[in-house]
Amino acid sequence: MSRLDSFIRRLEAQRACLATGAELVRDVPGVVLELGLGNGRTFDHLREICPARDIYVFDRQVAAHPDCIPAPERLFLGDFTETLSLALARLGRHAAAFIHVDLGSGDAAASQALARRLTPQIVALMAPGAVIVSDQAIDDPALAPLPLPPDVKPGRYFMAQRRA
Ligand code: SAM
């Protein structure tokens, strides 16, 4: 598969998983967390599909399209390993109904190691019934893996739900 096709499929998988996740948490109260602002593509999409939710965004830098920059009070700027602790203190445990993790860099092993390191804090932020959609595998006993939407190849994206 060409790199173009692979990129397109990744984005299609991302969009399909976000749609499924947003629907699954329709009745779960809580905020949305976006880990990885990047150029703001998925943040912008989350604003569209979760219009009634407060969305908090995490990144070490703001390098997004000017139309996709979160309000300062909704932005946790800094390394995830530090800002997730700040978010826990500020928003509280179980504050999030929906979390999107999109932290991948070109280094697959480093990205997976970072996701493993962040998992306990991410899980602490999830309300019972909350859904996580992630570009990295997220394994924790408190999470039940969710089936992926049709057409999303296993391993391309990951979904799980916090057990009640
Ligand atoms: N979701 C974005 C979009 O749709 O435009 C793309 C996100 S990009 C794949 C990953 C982002 O994660 C980058 O902006 C990078 O700065 C951020 N990132 C990676 N590791 C990080 C860390 N340890 N702390 C904070 N931000 C990090």
Side-chain angles (χ1 to χ4, degrees):
M1 187 189 306
S2 73
R3 290 180 66 83
L4 177 63
D5 281 335
S6 174
F7 180 65
I8 289 168
R9 285 192 196 181
R10 191 181 106 74
L11 295 190
E12 284 174 344
Q14 197 174 50
R15 182 177 56 186
C17 292
L18 289 175
T20 302
E23 180 60 27
L24 283 170
V25 299
R26 204 160 38 151
D27 298 324
V28 180
V31 302
V32 175
L33 305 182
E34 163 85 325
L35 272 71
L37 173 65
N39 71 24
R41 247 187 329 240
T42 48
F43 166 58
D44 191 38
H45 194 66
L46 285 167
R47 289 193 296 200
E48 262 193 38
I49 65 174
C50 304
R53 306 256 190 196
D54 290 342
I55 304 177
Y56 292 86
V57 183
F58 298 72
D59 208 299
R60 59 161 64 99
Q61 64 195 1
V62 174
H65 185 280
D67 292 344
C68 306
I69 296 177
E73 66 274 16
R74 297 276 164 76
L75 183 62
F76 285 95
L77 197 57
D79 197 278
F80 295 142
T81 55
E82 290 164 12
T83 51
L84 279 171
S85 303
L86 295 177
L88 263 171
R90 191 167 131 205
L91 306 176
R93 293 175 75 82
H94 312 311
F98 191 27
I99 300 184
H100 177 222
V101 174
D102 188 15
L103 56 71
S105 63
D107 184 337
S111 300
Q112 189 53 59
L114 177 61
R116 265 198 305 275
R117 181 165 172 205
L118 301 177
T119 296
Q121 287 168 300
I122 290 172
V123 170
L125 280 159
M126 293 174 74
V131 165
I132 182 163
V133 166
S134 174
D135 69 336
Q136 309 296 318
I138 304 278
D139 294 318
D140 188 276
L143 300 179
L146 285 168
L148 294 168
D151 299 334
V152 177
K153 197 172 133 202
R156 194 178 284 284
Y157 234 68
F158 302 88
M159 295 185 65
Q161 187 162 36
R162 175 146 189 158
R163 300 176 203 277

